[in-house]
Amino acid sequence: MNRATVALRLAVGLSLISAVLVCRAAPLSPPDAPQARTHKALLIGVDGLQYEKLQQAIEHHMAPHLARLNLAKSYVGGVDGTSTEQTTGSGPGWTTILTGSWVDRHHVPSNNDDWRNQAPSVFKLLKLAAPHRKTASIVSWNTINHNFADDIANGYIDLAIDCSDVDPCVADKTVNELEHGQSDLVFAHFDETDAVGHKDGFSPRYQQAIQSVDEHVGQLLSALKRRQKNHPLEDWLVIVTPDHGRRLPDGHDHGKQTLSEKTTFIALNKPGNAQLTAPIAHPGNPAHNGLYGYASQADITPTLLAHLGALPPAAGYSMDGLPLIGPVGVRQLTARKVPGQASMKLTWRTGRPSGTPVQIYRNGQLIAKLQDYQHTYVDTGPLALKGPINYTVVMHKVPVSRLITPAD
Ligand SMILES: [Zn+2]
């Protein structure tokens, strides 16, 4: 082979490679095919907004913006009497909402600026799945951003704003970020409903605070509408939720495990799946008038991540909640030590069985493959394990986890 032939072959080879590269870079679909939509999410926190009082405000046309969302009952405070039980306070509540985990994972037991969340947050999980995506946390009650100080220091929260109890500041900063920013996930927290609740209880001023936060929700939704004119391919999920209810009869307090303090709501701008819209009628734990058959505040982060396409893989999954949109995984997952034995019993519920595969992971290792006809599994393997065991059960590619300590 002479030099000219070698050069020619090299040139042909290179042009073939570059042709392949060009082909890979060019769109594979016809030019008029729809472009991929960008999924983004806005989580609006309304501190201490009582579900019943909101329903009354909606009936009296005093909360028109919240009235337009798909609103369903939910619970907070974990399951009392188990390792997930946490106070119906704001520190533990917001930490669950922003991690999909109860206190046995996040370890924020009360309201204190010094606690630091110990579970992977929605901000961190989004960044681990897609480092280029942007996040913002704009809060009226600064303790929330203090609890997530590690996420701010590590760059998992790009924009952190403390508004120091001034809700109009939260509205202004969030409107600005939604209209002009590049965030993929925005958390906005309003506090007036809780502050007024503590001061005046259920009162005309509390009703005014509900109207006021509804107006702020309206401002944020209008900002999104304006944004979508310039960004028609963005698909925004909006979720509104409080961190806790309020104690009867007067609504001044919260923190305990009463029905009124544990009952909350989750509102979406999209249709929810069965986990949100079809509560389990007779949950295994019948306490609080069957409240545990409903969705919980631990479902918020999995819902945000499902919409953002950033749910962690099953082997690395450690969240207690289920996505409230899209396919439904197994529901009502429990993990208990079998009395007198060194084994663990898992139970769960599914819809009508159809032979759908169900996988079980123990601390990230696949240990069983079942079908949805089965609703229990006894793990005799953890004898030698010390420390907490994280079980994950997967159906329809949707994982859900429970943490259990063998010594419990
Ligand atoms: Zn409070």
Side-chain angles (χ1 to χ4, degrees):
M1 200 188 295
N2 63 31
R3 218 174 251 189
T5 314
V6 171
L8 182 66
R9 288 198 174 181
L10 260 177
V12 170
L14 282 174
S15 65
L16 269 177
I17 290 168
S18 58
V20 167
L21 287 176
V22 166
C23 277
R24 297 196 107 196
L28 296 170
S29 43
D32 56 348
Q35 287 173 264
R37 291 171 74 81
T38 308
H39 289 80
K40 300 200 174 211
L42 167 64
L43 171 61
I44 304 174
V46 286
D47 208 300
L49 175 46
Q50 179 83 348
Y51 178 51
E52 275 184 16
K53 297 298 169 192
L54 173 61
Q55 284 180 308
Q56 288 168 11
I58 288 173
E59 279 164 27
H60 292 100
H61 308 289
M62 288 159 65
H65 303 291
L66 286 164
R68 285 212 306 271
L69 300 173
N70 298 311
L71 200 140
K73 188 155 96 172
S74 57
Y75 75 87
V76 305
V79 177
D80 46 336
T82 75
S83 59
T84 65
E85 177 179 338
Q86 60 191 38
T87 69
T88 53
S90 292
W94 290 119
T95 309
T96 293
I97 288 166
L98 294 169
T99 62
S101 301
W102 299 113
V103 67
D104 53 351
R105 299 182 194 272
H106 66 57
H107 299 292
V108 174
S110 64
N111 294 353
N112 188 322
D113 282 1
D114 297 331
W115 294 117
R116 292 289 176 268
N117 162 54
Q118 302 297 311
S121 72
V122 64
F123 309 108
K124 179 177 179 174
L125 291 170
L126 176 59
K127 287 280 189 176
L128 292 181
H132 62 283
R133 303 191 83 176
K134 299 285 182 220
T135 63
S137 177
I138 302 165
V139 300
S140 186
W141 188 54
N142 298 346
T143 301
I144 300 172
N145 278 356
H146 290 301
N147 290 162
F148 289 87
D150 294 345
D151 279 357
I152 297 169
N154 291 323
Y156 299 135
I157 298 176
D158 295 292
L159 176 68
I161 298 176
D162 284 350
C163 278
S164 302
D165 304 323
V166 181
D167 280 6
C169 159
V170 175
D172 289 348
K173 303 282 184 192
T174 309
V175 162
N176 186 56
E177 182 58 22
L178 292 176
E179 270 201 85
H180 308 296
Q182 292 307 314
S183 286
D184 297 281
L185 169 65
V186 178
F187 171 53
H189 163 271
F190 295 98
D191 198 60
E192 191 186 347
T193 36
D194 195 57
V196 171
H198 282 296
K199 194 162 175 284
D200 298 326
F202 297 138
S203 60
R205 279 207 61 216
Y206 190 72
Q207 293 297 341
Q208 285 165 15
I210 294 177
Q211 279 182 280
S212 159
V213 84
D214 183 74
E215 280 165 26
H216 288 318
V217 169
Q219 287 174 289
L220 271 46
L221 295 177
S222 298
L224 270 190
K225 235 181 211 167
R226 292 194 293 276
R227 179 186 181 88
Q228 297 227 258
K229 282 189 186 142
N230 297 325
H231 303 275
L233 290 175
E234 290 180 359
D235 178 0
W236 281 82
L237 169 68
V238 179
I239 305 181
V240 184
T241 201
D243 50 340
H244 54 72
R246 312 201 72 82
R247 194 175 310 156
L248 297 180
D250 53 27
H252 279 95
D253 295 319
H254 60 86
K256 294 187 175 173
Q257 296 282 331
T258 67
L259 179 60
S260 177
E261 288 162 280
K262 288 181 74 64
T263 301
T264 49
F265 64 88
I266 297 169
L268 304 184
N269 68 335
K270 294 177 179 292
N273 63 21
Q275 172 69 0
L276 184 69
T277 62
I280 301 276
H282 301 285
N285 183 337
H288 306 294
N289 288 350
L291 187 64
Y292 292 133
Y294 288 79
S296 84
Q297 62 187 166
D299 297 330
I300 304 283
T301 280
T303 306
L304 292 166
L305 292 173
H307 178 73
L308 293 164
L311 273 181
Y317 207 86
S318 61
M319 286 188 284
D320 298 303
L322 279 169
L324 301 170
I325 54 173
V328 184
V330 305
R331 301 169 72 186
Q332 303 276 304
L333 176 63
T334 66
R336 287 194 192 87
K337 194 169 180 301
V338 180
Q341 292 177 34
S343 53
M344 300 290 173
K345 184 178 183 184
L346 308 184
T347 66
W348 60 87
R349 305 272 187 101
T350 66
R352 191 186 296 271
S354 61
T356 304
V358 172
Q359 297 92 28
I360 300 179
Y361 292 76
R362 183 210 308 127
N363 290 343
Q365 297 288 316
L366 182 64
I367 56 167
K369 289 181 179 178
L370 313 174
Q371 288 187 326
D372 61 355
Y373 300 106
Q374 291 151 284
H375 294 137
T376 62
Y377 178 76
V378 176
D379 180 17
T380 54
L383 308 175
L385 286 176
K386 287 178 185 160
I389 303 172
N390 182 50
Y391 284 104
T392 301
V393 181
V394 186
M395 188 177 77
H396 295 137
K397 295 184 179 165
V398 177
V400 62
S401 300
R402 282 291 172 278
L403 194 68
I404 180 164
T405 304
D408 283 353

